[in-house]
Amino acid sequence: MQDLALANRVLHHEGVVDDFGHVALRDPADPQHFWLSRALPPNLVTVADLRRYGPDGVCEDAGVQSYSEAVLHARIFAARPDVQVCIHHHARPLLPFTLAGAPPLRPVFHTGAIAGWEIPLWDSAPFGAGGMLVDTVAKADSLAEALGPHRAALLRAHGAVVVGPTIAEAVMIAIYMAENAGVALAAGAPHHPVPSLAREEAEETSRRLLTPNTIARVWTGRVAKLAG
Ligand SMILES: [Zn+2]
C-alpha cells in the first residue's frame, strides 16, 4: 500500500499526472476488488487516503469523494486478469498523439520502446458529449476492449491508460511512454514523419529492459528523487 501511495507522488514528480490522474492496484487478497486513493491531487496521496473499490468501480467507503473515473480501473481489471496495476493520466507530451487523425505513437528511442509497438487510440465521442470522462461501465468496457492485450492506450484529446503486472513496472512504462512522446514531438511528430525503431528492434529492446533488476533500478531511483 505504501508503494501505491508513492506511485501517485512519483508520477506527479515526473510530470505524468498533474492535478488529475490516478493509480489503481488490484487487491492481492481479493482480485475482484482494487485499491485507489480518494479524490485528491496525486501529489498529496498517502496510505491513509487509499480506499477499496468493488468490481463495479464503487468505493466501499461511501463517506469519501471518489474519482469520477474509478470505473475505468474496475473494467480494465475485469477484462485483463494479467493486469495488477492501472494508471490513468493526461501527460502533456502524449496529447498531440491523441488528437483525431494523428499517426500512431511508435517507439522512437531506446527506453521509449517499453510502452509497446501498438498503442490503440480510444474515442469517447460515440458515447456523446459526457464531459469526455470514462465514468460509465459502457465507456470503461469500450476502453478496455480497445486496450486489448496492449500495455497502454490513448484516449482521444484526453490522455492515456497504462497497465502492468506490478506498480514499479507500470510506473516505469508510464514515465518512458511520456518521454518517448516528448522525443517524438521534438523530432517533429505528429505533423512530420519521424523515424521509429523497427518493430522487431522495439520488441527486443522492450524485452531486455522490462527485467526485475532494471524495473527495480528505475523505481528506486525515481522514489529517491521524491525525497530530493
Ligand atoms: Zn481523465
Side-chain angles (χ1 to χ4, degrees):
M1 286 302 131
Q2 181 62 41
D3 283 354
L4 179 56
L6 267 177
N8 282 273
R9 304 204 300 274
V10 166
L11 288 170
H12 184 271
H13 194 70
E14 300 298 338
V16 175
V17 294
D18 50 6
D19 304 311
F20 304 95
H22 25 91
V23 188
L25 172 70
R26 191 191 289 275
D27 188 334
D30 185 357
Q32 305 300 315
H33 293 74
F34 64 96
W35 292 85
L36 180 71
S37 172
R38 67 191 175 94
L40 277 183
N43 54 316
L44 299 183
V45 172
T46 67
V47 173
D49 301 307
L50 303 176
R51 293 292 186 280
R52 208 169 84 126
Y53 287 71
D56 46 5
V58 175
C59 186
E60 291 180 345
D61 180 354
V64 298
Q65 195 188 344
S66 297
Y67 294 120
S68 49
E69 295 184 293
V71 69
L72 167 164
H73 302 290
R75 303 314 298 164
I76 287 177
F77 285 134
R80 289 281 300 272
D82 60 312
V83 165
Q84 307 304 317
V85 177
C86 180
I87 299 168
H88 171 50
H89 67 79
H90 312 146
R92 298 300 181 274
L94 288 168
L95 294 187
F97 299 92
T98 72
L99 304 183
L105 175 60
R106 300 289 190 210
V108 295
F109 79 107
H110 179 210
T111 46
I114 63 173
W117 178 262
E118 207 65 62
I119 301 175
L121 175 65
W122 178 78
D123 190 353
S124 59
F127 296 90
M132 303 191 74
L133 294 169
V134 187
D135 56 357
T136 66
V137 170
K139 284 195 236 181
D141 279 341
S142 167
L143 170 59
E145 192 183 340
L147 173 66
H150 305 293
R151 292 182 193 142
L154 297 174
L155 284 61
R156 183 188 59 83
H158 177 170
V161 292
V162 176
V163 297
T166 65
I167 289 173
E169 183 166 336
V171 165
M172 179 177 169
I173 293 169
I175 291 170
Y176 281 105
M177 179 179 168
E179 290 184 1
N180 183 67
V183 173
L185 286 176
H191 298 298
H192 301 283
V194 164
S196 71
L197 304 192
R199 182 172 188 156
E200 234 174 46
E201 189 177 40
E203 285 169 356
E204 180 60 15
T205 301
S206 173
R207 197 181 64 74
R208 291 188 192 200
L209 282 167
L210 291 177
T211 63
N213 281 348
T214 310
I215 293 165
R217 172 170 151 185
V218 172
W219 174 254
T220 311
R222 303 281 175 157
V223 169
K225 273 175 76 181
L226 264 187

